[in-house]
Amino acid sequence: MKKRLIRIIVCMTVALIVAGGIAGYQISQEQNKNASFVTATNFGGPFTLVNQDNKIVTEKDFEGRWRLIYFGFTYCPAICPTELQRITGILHDLENDADQITPIFISVDPQRDTVDVMKNYISLFHPRLMGLTGSMAQVEEVKKSYKIYAAKVKDDTMTEYTVDHSSFIYFMNPNNDLVRIFRIEDSTQDIKKVIKAALNAYKSE
């Protein structure tokens, strides 16, 4: 019980630190009204992963594309499927504008999220959703670049581990800049408004 309590406290502390960093990006978004919706230009970074078709994918494959990126794991019982379903609904409602956006799901649990597992899982959501996984080292690198918190959680009462992780949808523009970080509490309507406004602003530049 004591070890479990310590683990929970550590996880909560790390999560708060990550959330604080994310909040900083969100505040900069509100303060920088003349940046064409750009929140940060130094977000993300190079990565090498593998997609659901077992093809190597790097950040360069998405150059010139808008992206909605979500980090999670296929064994997630509720939050991950809910957020991926929300992305699917948003893209459906955006109609033709959705063609400009690539939805991406990146695993934080590569030990279980193999290529085949990812392929079966993402088939439940948007037809263009790309599922990315890789080695532990590769996933750790992309987590670091996108400031993702994720940690295994298991105690004596569990037969399988779960993964405690931050839950944000990252909206990136074709220049690879972070446009906005959407949180669980952000409404679907507000997310769609931000996306449409950003697309229109980018076209007018």
Side-chain angles (χ1 to χ4, degrees):
M1 180 63 71
K2 185 176 180 181
K3 288 183 179 179
R4 182 182 181 187
L5 181 60
I6 293 173
R7 186 186 298 114
I8 291 172
I9 292 172
V10 170
C11 289
M12 288 178 64
T13 301
V14 175
L16 285 172
I17 293 172
V18 172
I22 295 298
Y25 279 113
Q26 292 286 52
I27 291 170
S28 72
Q29 162 70 28
E30 299 302 322
Q31 293 176 339
N32 194 4
K33 297 295 184 180
N34 298 318
S36 298
F37 292 88
V38 172
T39 296
T41 57
N42 60 343
F43 194 78
F47 64 81
T48 300
L49 295 169
V50 62
N51 70 12
Q52 71 276 7
D53 295 318
N54 205 28
K55 294 181 179 179
I56 294 175
V57 173
T58 74
E59 78 287 350
K60 294 181 180 179
D61 290 298
F62 304 106
E63 289 180 352
R65 296 284 302 173
W66 294 87
R67 279 147 285 162
L68 284 172
I69 306 173
Y70 185 78
F71 288 78
F73 64 113
T74 64
Y75 285 73
C76 183
I79 295 176
C80 297
T82 299
E83 291 301 276
L84 291 176
Q85 190 58 53
R86 184 155 69 139
I87 290 174
T88 298
I90 289 167
L91 292 176
H92 178 269
D93 292 346
L94 287 172
E95 299 179 332
N96 291 337
D97 284 336
D99 293 338
Q100 305 175 56
I101 304 170
T102 299
I104 304 169
F105 174 55
I106 301 178
S107 174
V108 296
D109 184 21
Q111 182 176 334
R112 293 182 297 189
D113 290 343
T114 63
V115 169
D116 289 340
V117 170
M118 289 290 278
K119 187 164 189 173
N120 289 332
Y121 186 75
I122 65 169
S123 68
L124 302 173
F125 305 100
H126 195 275
R128 289 195 293 105
L129 178 63
M130 181 175 290
L132 301 181
T133 187
S135 67
M136 290 295 295
Q138 289 171 328
V139 169
E140 285 301 318
E141 185 67 26
V142 73
K143 280 167 52 183
K144 183 178 179 181
S145 295
Y146 284 84
K147 298 174 174 55
I148 292 294
Y149 160 72
K152 286 184 180 181
V153 178
K154 185 176 182 180
D155 59 40
D156 295 338
T157 66
M158 302 167 63
T159 57
E160 274 280 6
Y161 69 84
T162 186
V163 180
D164 185 21
H165 65 94
S166 50
S167 182
F168 301 102
I169 298 173
Y170 297 93
F171 183 37
M172 310 284 291
N173 72 15
N175 297 327
N176 209 35
D177 301 321
L178 176 66
V179 178
R180 184 66 67 92
I181 298 170
F182 299 121
R183 301 163 296 177
I184 291 176
E185 56 266 34
D186 292 328
S187 73
T188 298
Q189 283 301 116
D190 286 343
I191 292 175
K192 286 188 289 189
K193 287 179 182 178
V194 169
I195 291 175
K196 289 186 73 71
L199 293 177
N200 290 333
Y202 191 84
K203 290 175 184 177
S204 63
E205 288 182 351

PDB file of all heavy atoms in Angstrom, residues 138-152:
ATOM      1  N   GLN A 138      12.418   4.910 -29.471  1.00  0.00           N
ATOM      2  CA  GLN A 138      11.788   5.805 -30.443  1.00  0.00           C
ATOM      3  C   GLN A 138      10.566   6.509 -29.855  1.00  0.00           C
ATOM      4  O   GLN A 138      10.363   7.702 -30.068  1.00  0.00           O
ATOM      5  CB  GLN A 138      11.383   5.019 -31.692  1.00  0.00           C
ATOM      6  CG  GLN A 138      12.558   4.569 -32.534  1.00  0.00           C
ATOM      7  CD  GLN A 138      12.150   3.603 -33.635  1.00  0.00           C
ATOM      8  OE1 GLN A 138      11.207   2.827 -33.474  1.00  0.00           O
ATOM      9  NE2 GLN A 138      12.865   3.645 -34.750  1.00  0.00           N
ATOM     10  N   VAL A 139       9.779   5.766 -29.113  1.00  0.00           N
ATOM     11  CA  VAL A 139       8.585   6.348 -28.497  1.00  0.00           C
ATOM     12  C   VAL A 139       8.972   7.341 -27.406  1.00  0.00           C
ATOM     13  O   VAL A 139       8.357   8.409 -27.278  1.00  0.00           O
ATOM     14  CB  VAL A 139       7.662   5.241 -27.944  1.00  0.00           C
ATOM     15  CG1 VAL A 139       6.564   5.836 -27.076  1.00  0.00           C
ATOM     16  CG2 VAL A 139       7.067   4.438 -29.094  1.00  0.00           C
ATOM     17  N   GLU A 140      10.002   7.023 -26.636  1.00  0.00           N
ATOM     18  CA  GLU A 140      10.454   7.953 -25.599  1.00  0.00           C
ATOM     19  C   GLU A 140      10.911   9.263 -26.219  1.00  0.00           C
ATOM     20  O   GLU A 140      10.685  10.348 -25.665  1.00  0.00           O
ATOM     21  CB  GLU A 140      11.591   7.331 -24.782  1.00  0.00           C
ATOM     22  CG  GLU A 140      11.147   6.265 -23.805  1.00  0.00           C
ATOM     23  CD  GLU A 140      10.146   6.786 -22.786  1.00  0.00           C
ATOM     24  OE1 GLU A 140      10.344   7.913 -22.280  1.00  0.00           O
ATOM     25  OE2 GLU A 140       9.163   6.085 -22.504  1.00  0.00           O
ATOM     26  N   GLU A 141      11.550   9.169 -27.373  1.00  0.00           N
ATOM     27  CA  GLU A 141      12.046  10.373 -28.048  1.00  0.00           C
ATOM     28  C   GLU A 141      10.901  11.272 -28.502  1.00  0.00           C
ATOM     29  O   GLU A 141      10.930  12.497 -28.308  1.00  0.00           O
ATOM     30  CB  GLU A 141      12.916   9.977 -29.249  1.00  0.00           C
ATOM     31  CG  GLU A 141      13.584  11.151 -29.952  1.00  0.00           C
ATOM     32  CD  GLU A 141      14.624  11.844 -29.092  1.00  0.00           C
ATOM     33  OE1 GLU A 141      15.187  11.184 -28.191  1.00  0.00           O
ATOM     34  OE2 GLU A 141      14.871  13.048 -29.318  1.00  0.00           O
ATOM     35  N   VAL A 142       9.874  10.680 -29.105  1.00  0.00           N
ATOM     36  CA  VAL A 142       8.750  11.493 -29.583  1.00  0.00           C
ATOM     37  C   VAL A 142       7.933  12.019 -28.407  1.00  0.00           C
ATOM     38  O   VAL A 142       7.396  13.136 -28.462  1.00  0.00           O
ATOM     39  CB  VAL A 142       7.885  10.701 -30.587  1.00  0.00           C
ATOM     40  CG1 VAL A 142       7.059   9.625 -29.911  1.00  0.00           C
ATOM     41  CG2 VAL A 142       6.979  11.644 -31.381  1.00  0.00           C
ATOM     42  N   LYS A 143       7.836  11.260 -27.325  1.00  0.00           N
ATOM     43  CA  LYS A 143       7.155  11.742 -26.119  1.00  0.00           C
ATOM     44  C   LYS A 143       7.867  12.976 -25.570  1.00  0.00           C
ATOM     45  O   LYS A 143       7.217  13.954 -25.164  1.00  0.00           O
ATOM     46  CB  LYS A 143       7.133  10.645 -25.052  1.00  0.00           C
ATOM     47  CG  LYS A 143       6.057   9.592 -25.241  1.00  0.00           C
ATOM     48  CD  LYS A 143       6.296   8.395 -24.334  1.00  0.00           C
ATOM     49  CE  LYS A 143       6.499   8.784 -22.882  1.00  0.00           C
ATOM     50  NZ  LYS A 143       6.802   7.613 -22.030  1.00  0.00           N
ATOM     51  N   LYS A 144       9.175  12.931 -25.557  1.00  0.00           N
ATOM     52  CA  LYS A 144       9.955  14.052 -25.056  1.00  0.00           C
ATOM     53  C   LYS A 144       9.758  15.286 -25.925  1.00  0.00           C
ATOM     54  O   LYS A 144       9.588  16.400 -25.415  1.00  0.00           O
ATOM     55  CB  LYS A 144      11.437  13.655 -25.017  1.00  0.00           C
ATOM     56  CG  LYS A 144      12.348  14.722 -24.446  1.00  0.00           C
ATOM     57  CD  LYS A 144      13.784  14.224 -24.394  1.00  0.00           C
ATOM     58  CE  LYS A 144      14.721  15.297 -23.846  1.00  0.00           C
ATOM     59  NZ  LYS A 144      16.130  14.814 -23.806  1.00  0.00           N
ATOM     60  N   SER A 145       9.750  15.089 -27.226  1.00  0.00           N
ATOM     61  CA  SER A 145       9.601  16.211 -28.155  1.00  0.00           C
ATOM     62  C   SER A 145       8.244  16.899 -28.003  1.00  0.00           C
ATOM     63  O   SER A 145       8.141  18.123 -28.113  1.00  0.00           O
ATOM     64  CB  SER A 145       9.762  15.728 -29.601  1.00  0.00           C
ATOM     65  OG  SER A 145      11.062  15.250 -29.840  1.00  0.00           O
ATOM     66  N   TYR A 146       7.219  16.094 -27.750  1.00  0.00           N
ATOM     67  CA  TYR A 146       5.858  16.644 -27.644  1.00  0.00           C
ATOM     68  C   TYR A 146       5.422  16.839 -26.196  1.00  0.00           C
ATOM     69  O   TYR A 146       4.254  17.093 -25.929  1.00  0.00           O
ATOM     70  CB  TYR A 146       4.870  15.735 -28.379  1.00  0.00           C
ATOM     71  CG  TYR A 146       4.951  15.890 -29.876  1.00  0.00           C
ATOM     72  CD1 TYR A 146       5.892  15.192 -30.624  1.00  0.00           C
ATOM     73  CD2 TYR A 146       4.089  16.749 -30.558  1.00  0.00           C
ATOM     74  CE1 TYR A 146       5.988  15.347 -31.995  1.00  0.00           C
ATOM     75  CE2 TYR A 146       4.167  16.910 -31.934  1.00  0.00           C
ATOM     76  CZ  TYR A 146       5.127  16.203 -32.646  1.00  0.00           C
ATOM     77  OH  TYR A 146       5.209  16.359 -34.009  1.00  0.00           O
ATOM     78  N   LYS A 147       6.385  16.729 -25.285  1.00  0.00           N
ATOM     79  CA  LYS A 147       6.131  16.988 -23.864  1.00  0.00           C
ATOM     80  C   LYS A 147       4.991  16.134 -23.316  1.00  0.00           C
ATOM     81  O   LYS A 147       4.072  16.625 -22.652  1.00  0.00           O
ATOM     82  CB  LYS A 147       5.861  18.480 -23.649  1.00  0.00           C
ATOM     83  CG  LYS A 147       7.055  19.344 -24.036  1.00  0.00           C
ATOM     84  CD  LYS A 147       6.738  20.820 -23.968  1.00  0.00           C
ATOM     85  CE  LYS A 147       7.998  21.641 -24.225  1.00  0.00           C
ATOM     86  NZ  LYS A 147       8.670  21.322 -25.496  1.00  0.00           N
ATOM     87  N   ILE A 148       5.056  14.847 -23.619  1.00  0.00           N
ATOM     88  CA  ILE A 148       4.034  13.895 -23.189  1.00  0.00           C
ATOM     89  C   ILE A 148       4.475  13.189 -21.906  1.00  0.00           C
ATOM     90  O   ILE A 148       5.588  12.667 -21.813  1.00  0.00           O
ATOM     91  CB  ILE A 148       3.785  12.841 -24.291  1.00  0.00           C
ATOM     92  CG1 ILE A 148       3.122  13.500 -25.508  1.00  0.00           C
ATOM     93  CG2 ILE A 148       2.926  11.705 -23.774  1.00  0.00           C
ATOM     94  CD1 ILE A 148       1.727  14.027 -25.240  1.00  0.00           C
ATOM     95  N   TYR A 149       3.590  13.176 -20.947  1.00  0.00           N
ATOM     96  CA  TYR A 149       3.823  12.386 -19.738  1.00  0.00           C
ATOM     97  C   TYR A 149       3.123  11.041 -19.891  1.00  0.00           C
ATOM     98  O   TYR A 149       1.953  10.968 -20.263  1.00  0.00           O
ATOM     99  CB  TYR A 149       3.264  13.099 -18.510  1.00  0.00           C
ATOM    100  CG  TYR A 149       3.039  12.160 -17.341  1.00  0.00           C
ATOM    101  CD1 TYR A 149       4.127  11.635 -16.637  1.00  0.00           C
ATOM    102  CD2 TYR A 149       1.760  11.761 -16.976  1.00  0.00           C
ATOM    103  CE1 TYR A 149       3.934  10.746 -15.583  1.00  0.00           C
ATOM    104  CE2 TYR A 149       1.560  10.875 -15.923  1.00  0.00           C
ATOM    105  CZ  TYR A 149       2.641  10.376 -15.236  1.00  0.00           C
ATOM    106  OH  TYR A 149       2.455   9.505 -14.211  1.00  0.00           O
ATOM    107  N   ALA A 150       3.833   9.945 -19.630  1.00  0.00           N
ATOM    108  CA  ALA A 150       3.237   8.606 -19.660  1.00  0.00           C
ATOM    109  C   ALA A 150       4.065   7.691 -18.770  1.00  0.00           C
ATOM    110  O   ALA A 150       5.299   7.708 -18.826  1.00  0.00           O
ATOM    111  CB  ALA A 150       3.189   8.060 -21.086  1.00  0.00           C
ATOM    112  N   ALA A 151       3.382   6.897 -17.945  1.00  0.00           N
ATOM    113  CA  ALA A 151       4.086   5.989 -17.038  1.00  0.00           C
ATOM    114  C   ALA A 151       3.232   4.764 -16.758  1.00  0.00           C
ATOM    115  O   ALA A 151       2.009   4.865 -16.601  1.00  0.00           O
ATOM    116  CB  ALA A 151       4.419   6.703 -15.728  1.00  0.00           C
ATOM    117  N   LYS A 152       3.873   3.603 -16.705  1.00  0.00           N
ATOM    118  CA  LYS A 152       3.164   2.371 -16.374  1.00  0.00           C
ATOM    119  C   LYS A 152       2.673   2.423 -14.929  1.00  0.00           C
ATOM    120  O   LYS A 152       3.361   2.946 -14.053  1.00  0.00           O
ATOM    121  CB  LYS A 152       4.082   1.163 -16.539  1.00  0.00           C
ATOM    122  CG  LYS A 152       4.368   0.776 -17.973  1.00  0.00           C
ATOM    123  CD  LYS A 152       5.206  -0.500 -17.993  1.00  0.00           C
ATOM    124  CE  LYS A 152       5.529  -0.941 -19.408  1.00  0.00           C
ATOM    125  NZ  LYS A 152       6.328  -2.187 -19.425  1.00  0.00           N
TER     126      LYS A 152
END
